[in-house]
Amino acid sequence: MREDTFAERSDRSEEQVSGAEVIAQALKNQDVAYMFGIVGIPVTEIAIAAQKLGIRYIGMRNEQAACYAASAIGYLTGRPAVCLVVSGPGLVHALGGMANANMNCWYVECCMPPPVSMAETSAVYTAASVIRNAKQPLLIIGKGAAYAHAEDALRKLVEQCKLPFLPTPMGKGVIPDNHPNCVGAARSRALQFADVIVLFGARLNWILHFGLPPRYQPDVKFIQVDICAEELGNNVKPAVTLLGDINAVTKQLLEQFDKTPWQYPPESSWWQTLREKMKSNEAASKELASQKSLPMNYYTVFYHVQEQLPRDCFVVSEGANTMDIGRTVIQNYLPRHRLDAGTFGTMGIGLGFAIAAAVVAKDRNSGQRVICVEGDSAFGFSGMEVETICRYNLPIVLLVVNNNGIYQGFDADSWKEMLKFGDAVAVAPPVCLLPNSHYEQVMMAFGGKGYFVQTPEELQKSLKQSLADTTKPSLINVMIEPQAMRKAQDFHWLTRSNM
Amino acid sequence: MREDTFAERSDRSEEQVSGAEVIAQALKNQDVAYMFGIVGIPVTEIAIAAQKLGIRYIGMRNEQAACYAASAIGYLTGRPAVCLVVSGPGLVHALGGMANANMNCWYVECCMPPPVSMAETSAVYTAASVIRNAKQPLLIIGKGAAYAHAEDALRKLVEQCKLPFLPTPMGKGVIPDNHPNCVGAARSRALQFADVIVLFGARLNWILHFGLPPRYQPDVKFIQVDICAEELGNNVKPAVTLLGDINAVTKQLLEQFDKTPWQYPPESSWWQTLREKMKSNEAASKELASQKSLPMNYYTVFYHVQEQLPRDCFVVSEGANTMDIGRTVIQNYLPRHRLDAGTFGTMGIGLGFAIAAAVVAKDRNSGQRVICVEGDSAFGFSGMEVETICRYNLPIVLLVVNNNGIYQGFDADSWKEMLKFGDAVAVAPPVCLLPNSHYEQVMMAFGGKGYFVQTPEELQKSLKQSLADTTKPSLINVMIEPQAMRKAQDFHWLTRSNM
Amino acid sequence: MREDTFAERSDRSEEQVSGAEVIAQALKNQDVAYMFGIVGIPVTEIAIAAQKLGIRYIGMRNEQAACYAASAIGYLTGRPAVCLVVSGPGLVHALGGMANANMNCWYVECCMPPPVSMAETSAVYTAASVIRNAKQPLLIIGKGAAYAHAEDALRKLVEQCKLPFLPTPMGKGVIPDNHPNCVGAARSRALQFADVIVLFGARLNWILHFGLPPRYQPDVKFIQVDICAEELGNNVKPAVTLLGDINAVTKQLLEQFDKTPWQYPPESSWWQTLREKMKSNEAASKELASQKSLPMNYYTVFYHVQEQLPRDCFVVSEGANTMDIGRTVIQNYLPRHRLDAGTFGTMGIGLGFAIAAAVVAKDRNSGQRVICVEGDSAFGFSGMEVETICRYNLPIVLLVVNNNGIYQGFDADSWKEMLKFGDAVAVAPPVCLLPNSHYEQVMMAFGGKGYFVQTPEELQKSLKQSLADTTKPSLINVMIEPQAMRKAQDFHWLTRSNM
Amino acid sequence: MREDTFAERSDRSEEQVSGAEVIAQALKNQDVAYMFGIVGIPVTEIAIAAQKLGIRYIGMRNEQAACYAASAIGYLTGRPAVCLVVSGPGLVHALGGMANANMNCWYVECCMPPPVSMAETSAVYTAASVIRNAKQPLLIIGKGAAYAHAEDALRKLVEQCKLPFLPTPMGKGVIPDNHPNCVGAARSRALQFADVIVLFGARLNWILHFGLPPRYQPDVKFIQVDICAEELGNNVKPAVTLLGDINAVTKQLLEQFDKTPWQYPPESSWWQTLREKMKSNEAASKELASQKSLPMNYYTVFYHVQEQLPRDCFVVSEGANTMDIGRTVIQNYLPRHRLDAGTFGTMGIGLGFAIAAAVVAKDRNSGQRVICVEGDSAFGFSGMEVETICRYNLPIVLLVVNNNGIYQGFDADSWKEMLKFGDAVAVAPPVCLLPNSHYEQVMMAFGGKGYFVQTPEELQKSLKQSLADTTKPSLINVMIEPQAMRKAQDFHWLTRSNM
């Protein structure tokens, strides 16, 4: 970038190359398998040295997306990944990823997997007693359970004790969403009337309404299972806290229920309430999904996506309604196969996460696909990474759920109408984006496949083709109702979310 | 984004709307005319309230670009602009822009234009004496001179005293580049042999080789004119420092030369040396520009751009060679009409800067165009802002000078050859991007005009059409030699910059 | 401190010594004359190397005081001083000093004295007109005027135009406090009724009541003279701002009044009002000072101090009432000879400032004394520096104005009475310190002279002896009324300050 | 401090008092028992409100010491304490304490004691196996073990398995130093030849030579027991890591040795080696301690202190050699009764720590004394807190081990000799303090008892009197050899520590 710097570089190339090799070797020693970044002086040599040692280098288009990608690797593989950026502006651009992942720019964590800790035996005993005495119990399975690989132990607990469970967004798939004990379809009801809730690596943040009334019973008892002492007792005071590795602690609980077997009665009125609510909610969803009017609504779109989705795919999602409604309809069947904007609601993480998952899938030769479901505004944050996807020919199907705006937008006619009142700079509402943007052409610009979709039939067909063609990534631009209504729900204010 | 938040919002909408109005009114009182950002809860109301008061709100696609745009407004108009972001991730994304602009997120500077200060009379006298006694004088005109609106005074000084001058990248246009006293075409020679150099708002940073040998005479005398005391004496110890408003100080110097008239002999050997060097450099450039071999080289591209460029256009530029070579060929004729990556070499600023300039031009009804010359890698940092350009139908012509990579890349055949050795994830060099990416289709996806250009004729034609059509923005994707050589220069190492 | 570190140090002593010498030489090149600090591994060598080059090293007892001392040198001599601390805790301790001085830990500012800038000629003309048309003008002379060495020019302006002036705490002495035009004794009146106020390097902070009613006329016109553009227009919108070196700008103003001579009528009603108010205030002060009741009050103490104070001494002061009342009674006759807690009201700066002033005085062989007037609470922040004072035998007379507490305290009898109600840990009020603490013995512990003083006669005598004995530092512990009342003033709430 | 602020305060006193009460009540709810600080506007009311609720308020003389005191409370009592400071400079002064304690200024930790976690059963089994197979085992007991109240379990482990153990400085007393299995007197030997080392809450920092050769066997196996995963695997890669509450994990280990009983042979050659080394080291120490030459050396001083020290006293220590040598001679018999400068080697913590321990002791009516052993330089950092000690009449015996300098100093004759060469400011070495400073008079200034001590007999006598007199604090100023030599040790470089 700077001409003198070139000169200086050639003058001291020898030591630098050697410095780059030292860094690369140190990363290799730490078992780093993936490096994401954008090269520039003087870090290009590090990328090359890393490649020589077998580390995958994936060149991205903006440090933001590079950092999000690197952070996803930690979640997917349990090993640190590296984000390579130049100093100065590159580092600043990467801050978004770092803040999201709460790690430093090299993502180099300690080289040793941390040892497993367990909960105090007496506390486990107490927790088991509280569960046995619950009238309306509920398990909530969070991202921490996924991270701890607690899937087998948790499934055994659920099935042996016949307990209802609810996954958080990134806890989806630890036990498959279609498991009969999953009460995701009666989420609000389950939260509101449970008397004992066991949190497995789930935080009482905004996604879980902070654990507070009116979304919960005022006297609900929380049992909190977590590896992180700082997370315990936030927002609410738990009845029991089990500090330790979530997988190990779940096994400790199972031991209690093995010693003194117990199961929650499957014909309890609590199970009946939940099953009825699930049935009626699913019927309402199906009703919304089957509406024939055009443009489509969110439920119709996700219904068709869900129908065709391979069971083993990774699902990445971001956007406001796109992520919120999408996660209620699209099911996950495998742990650690769902990535979304998470606690922060960070916009701009989707394509980085998708690229990371796709690189992992490709490297594993698993034949798995990544389905990345983006709101149109969310896609804009890192849409140029489509070139990265095409360059590396990654097995990604991108869906842009396009309502021409942020939360909502205008259709083409309303937009034209608006322009009669003045120039767009003067009159366009802040939430509006350009109507009928052909995001699919961004994919086509780099040799991928693009589809502009307006009807359920077009959506079905394009999705089928995209999934069938394993030689190219694709982007399906799905036009939906710009002022789409959400399904009426029990809590009246949710319908106001269409501002 | 969060369902409960919607509820809370509706509960306290009244006070919030009023809060938003208070903020908007405060910004209006500060004479803020432009606001760039991305709305979200709870800042949407602020954007709407600002619009109601006549502040332009320009919705962007990533906070990075929004902040860069807002920072450019300060330079272009002398008034602060606002970058509106949501807290948390939005704020972090905006840090890039803030670091670059060295200002806070609201850009709210003091409401009063700062008063004008002048240099000490005796120091001005001394400076004039040093200039009078110079054997090989040189003026360097920097961004600070542009910011201070010193164009008239500086032009008078140059013409009255017949002094050679050199603009820095963002000082270009303070005096037109085609002024006979501009020695930009003999830049290295002028710097290397000058015995007295007067810096007008120019910093001795890496762009000016820190003012040190071998790029300068060891005993060169610097006269530093700056508004900022902290900038004085960095890197070198100046012979004279004139602290004050650059326009006012230039007028003080002119007074000295009015009192005791003086001019530097136009037939001096220094002027002869410079003119000869300019001539030979221009010939070498022209030689490079006229090469008929395909793909084109940088000089050919910029030569044709320069030929058609309207005199009053804004020029924005970023990228490594694209910016470095571009600024030697493309001329500026008006002050404050050039914006580039500046001191930091920040990548990702181009489209934000272009959007800011275009909004200003449109608001002024000046009919001016913005020419934004991007390297292909640079374009990737904020390429999705093309939707913003189309949404607001901004008078921008984007040129992507495309060498398929960062610094350099592969042509399509080499890329295919490479893929025989393994998957792209495993074998693609870190500097390579996808060959023949059709960036012009990104523009077409949003209804703008796109051109894929491989020959000088195609470039000429597409540029002509783009400039003629004032109804739509356009993007010209110019394919150049992926391993393009730079022109041989006096300092041998510069030719090595093609790593 | 660490045994292994010793080993490592000896192993690499050679390079370290050389490193220390390089640092010391660099400081010497920057014209650094003084270094304050506390040695430890690995900075001892730097102190020794600095001493070898003739830099004075003054070893302090806490990094806080070291940093305050170093910062005072900048103000006293115009040259940077160095604060030498070990990394880790030493650096953290030094932060107080750094925050106060707003400079970095090496205090190394740019090696070149900054050039002088002047105000715009037209703005100077306007300012002179506003002054000429003032009905009730007032000049306020601040620390900035002292820093700029503007004493001669300001005195000429005051005398030539016959204008009343008021110094800020650290502006005291720029023109002697006993100058007939000084209206310090009518401060509140002068501020409240002036219609034009010219600020010379003075900030409208809490000391000047932010420039707002009811302490000022709502339509008072401010003319602000400052070197720092960021200071202009804070809190109020000035009528005229003159940006530039305060000495140079004052001369520019003088030129205006030379061209068109003008003076403010000495018999105006404004001057009469001010003179009457001064007279009555001085009488009230004298009344308070002459009270015979014991323990003494603040006014009595400062009256006797003022009587004996050498005209050329440095005065350092900190504490709440001690500083506030002290500065109204104790007069300064020379510029840059007063140092106090300043804008922040920082406690703990006194002894560091006094040591710095004394070292400078000693080095200049000026025979000047430093009078350091401390509240008893203030003294506790860095009282151990008395050892430093004795070690270097510095010409300091310390006065501890002792009211047994913070703002106020208990006398010995009340303290004993209190202890009947419980242990001191349980019952002592937060503002109380131990009654009758013999702070003078802290001085005697290190060989200095100490006096415990309860009557005006003892105060007179001890002060006389202290000033007469130039061979030793001394500390006079002056017992005052623990619940001392302040003089009733025009603004009723001031009397409430005795909480 | 500021007069207007008084006015404003009285205007809104009502809401402020209520605000202070709310804060105080919140602290009380958090079980805060102690508050240290310096009052000022506007925090005085908070101190008063806290006192009303029964929280002890201890007014200090500098925020540094206040923060160190508050941080010690957490260690001593397991409950958070509060440091009350004014904003601005007060907060900055408190940073030292905060950095040392790594907590925020209110020290308010989560209100719930964290739950107990245990180590994975299989890892405990492995650790027990490694210990059983050790040829030369060693336990190291750290501060973490003290914090976890693991004293009973560890003592049982040591005695049941007959293992040698070594305490870290703040681990001293978890098992009494005079326990027959304590090999502190053969520390270097034990570290150097152990083949298995179990770390109980001890960090491999500089105090433990980072766990690296030549101070350790290259193939030594570490077993690390810690509550903090981030501490595991620092510097060395442990053979086994046991993550969990240290008390709980020790009990898990004990279960293993209960199931399959095992003990390390008391007549092994390892035990013989250690016992011989302890014997010879103790003889060498005694030899040093019994030297009759004057001034005394460190060993003589500490020998006499150790002889008279009550078994239940708190020991606080800081200073370089004072702390290093002191901790080898002075024994601790109770857990959490020793506080020293810790990992950072922070200077200035001693008096704050001593005050905290004394307030706790006084509140418990335990009749315990606090012995605070300070180097003379260390004492200077916060010596004015002696007034605080006297004000609250705290049961503290201060020893200042005085060598007239930092690391070393000059005797009075050498000092006088030195002054012949010039003024002290010019010639005093940076490590020297004033010879024969009478620090004991600082105590006497506030009514405490002071002793100036030059012989063993004087030391014995003064210490006896100090411990006998429970009505007053005392300070013993012990003059030692200014250029004292340390005992020759196995590692040759240690003797070089006398720089």
Side-chain angles (χ1 to χ4, degrees), chain C residues 98-257:
Chain C
M98 295 197 287
N100 194 56
N102 195 19
M103 39 186 161
N104 70 46
C105 187
W106 292 100
Y107 295 109
V108 180
E109 291 163 1
C110 76
C111 62
M112 204 182 55
V116 170
S117 67
M118 291 159 64
E120 200 182 17
T121 313
S122 66
V124 176
Y125 178 83
T126 307
S129 301
V130 173
I131 295 169
R132 282 179 216 271
N133 292 313
K135 296 214 166 53
Q136 314 206 127
L138 178 69
L139 310 186
I140 299 182
I141 297 175
K143 177 169 51 182
Y147 201 87
H149 289 238
E151 50 265 20
D152 294 340
L154 276 169
R155 187 173 189 143
K156 199 172 164 206
L157 180 67
V158 159
E159 294 181 350
Q160 178 170 324
C161 297
K162 307 211 184 297
L163 290 163
F165 77 90
L166 195 66
T168 67
M170 284 178 72
K172 277 164 69 80
V174 169
I175 305 176
D177 282 342
N178 64 345
H179 190 283
N181 291 29
C182 177
V183 295
R187 183 178 184 275
S188 295
R189 185 64 55 102
L191 297 179
Q192 199 183 7
F193 294 106
D195 68 338
V196 170
I197 294 179
V198 194
L199 299 158
F200 290 93
R203 300 177 181 182
L204 291 175
N205 58 25
W206 62 270
I207 294 176
L208 286 177
H209 319 289
F210 304 106
L212 300 174
R215 307 296 304 243
Y216 290 82
Q217 289 300 307
D219 58 350
V220 57
K221 286 182 186 161
F222 287 102
I223 297 171
Q224 212 171 348
V225 182
D226 216 297
I227 186 68
C228 175
E230 284 76 14
E231 287 300 323
L232 300 173
N234 288 343
N235 298 318
V236 299
K237 193 182 161 107
V240 191
T241 53
L242 302 176
L243 179 64
D245 174 82
I246 294 169
N247 189 30
V249 175
T250 308
K251 287 179 187 165
Q252 287 181 288
L253 279 171
L254 276 167
E255 275 173 37
Q256 294 295 326
F257 292 116

Side-chain angles (χ1 to χ4, degrees), chain C residues 5 9 13 22 35 40 54 61 87 97 153 187 202 240 305 330 334 354 359 384 438 442 452 465 496:
Chain C
T5 313
R9 207 184 69 239
S13 58
V22 167
M35 178 185 276
R61 299 305 298 262
S87 60
R187 183 178 184 275
V240 191
V305 172
I330 297 176
L334 294 171
V359 168
M384 289 304 293
H438 282 271
V442 176
F452 185 75
Q465 286 182 13
R496 297 193 203 163

Side-chain angles (χ1 to χ4, degrees), chain A residues 276-352:
Chain A
E276 275 161 30
K277 188 66 191 166
M278 285 160 72
K279 214 167 151 183
S280 73
N281 279 349
E282 280 160 4
S285 274
K286 200 159 257 178
E287 163 67 23
L288 279 164
S290 62
Q291 282 179 10
K292 301 291 177 192
S293 63
L294 294 180
M296 292 182 279
N297 65 38
Y298 283 109
Y299 288 87
T300 311
V301 171
F302 293 128
Y303 173 81
H304 287 289
V305 171
Q306 168 60 20
E307 285 229 312
Q308 293 199 34
L309 225 56
R311 293 231 153 184
D312 66 350
C313 71
F314 289 91
V315 175
V316 176
S317 182
E318 71 174 325
N321 290 332
T322 297
M323 186 169 71
D324 288 349
I325 305 178
R327 75 163 67 105
T328 68
V329 181
I330 297 178
Q331 304 215 334
N332 288 75
Y333 307 95
L334 293 172
R336 295 171 297 285
H337 277 63
R338 181 177 179 88
L339 292 148
D340 67 24
T343 309
F344 265 4
T346 310
M347 289 292 106
I349 50 83
L351 274 70

